[in-house]
Amino acid sequence: MDTLAEVLEVEAITVLTTDEDIRAAEREQWDDGTNYLAVAPGVVMGYERNVATNTMLRKHGIEVIDIGGSELGRGRGGPRCMTCPIVRDSA
């Protein structure tokens, strides 16, 4: 974390974690609790069903824009995945 802080030229890096037991945390991570899209400083988009993650982010002053995503989630995609290009230049 020290190296990351140095590269970003900030004093320190804060790692946010939810207050869940390991099973609940793993389930929410599998349900795309980690698939958020930063749309502005302090503003992210994420699935409404990720209650623990959304709550934790809000407690730390981050605005969470909840989105539904039952169909999108079936393919294990999310807000961030939806911004990835589906057509790419050849390597």
Side-chain angles (χ1 to χ4, degrees), residues 18-79:
T18 59
D19 296 326
E20 295 182 294
D21 65 73
I22 189 67
R23 287 191 176 114
E26 287 174 349
R27 182 174 49 250
E28 187 154 308
Q29 180 178 0
W30 180 249
D31 288 335
D32 297 303
T34 58
N35 197 333
Y36 284 76
L37 174 65
V39 294
V43 182
V44 298
M45 293 177 66
Y47 284 130
E48 63 190 1
R49 68 175 179 244
N50 293 322
V51 176
T53 302
N54 294 344
T55 299
M56 177 272 302
L57 291 169
R58 288 180 176 120
K59 284 181 180 177
H60 285 88
I62 297 170
E63 178 185 348
V64 178
I65 301 169
D66 292 328
I67 62 168
S70 60
E71 293 301 314
L72 179 60
R74 289 180 194 212
R76 294 293 175 216

Side-chain angles (χ1 to χ4, degrees), residues 1-15:
M1 292 298 161
D2 292 337
T3 302
L4 181 58
E6 183 180 332
V7 170
L8 295 175
E9 299 179 357
V10 297
E11 191 171 315
I13 300 297
T14 301
V15 177

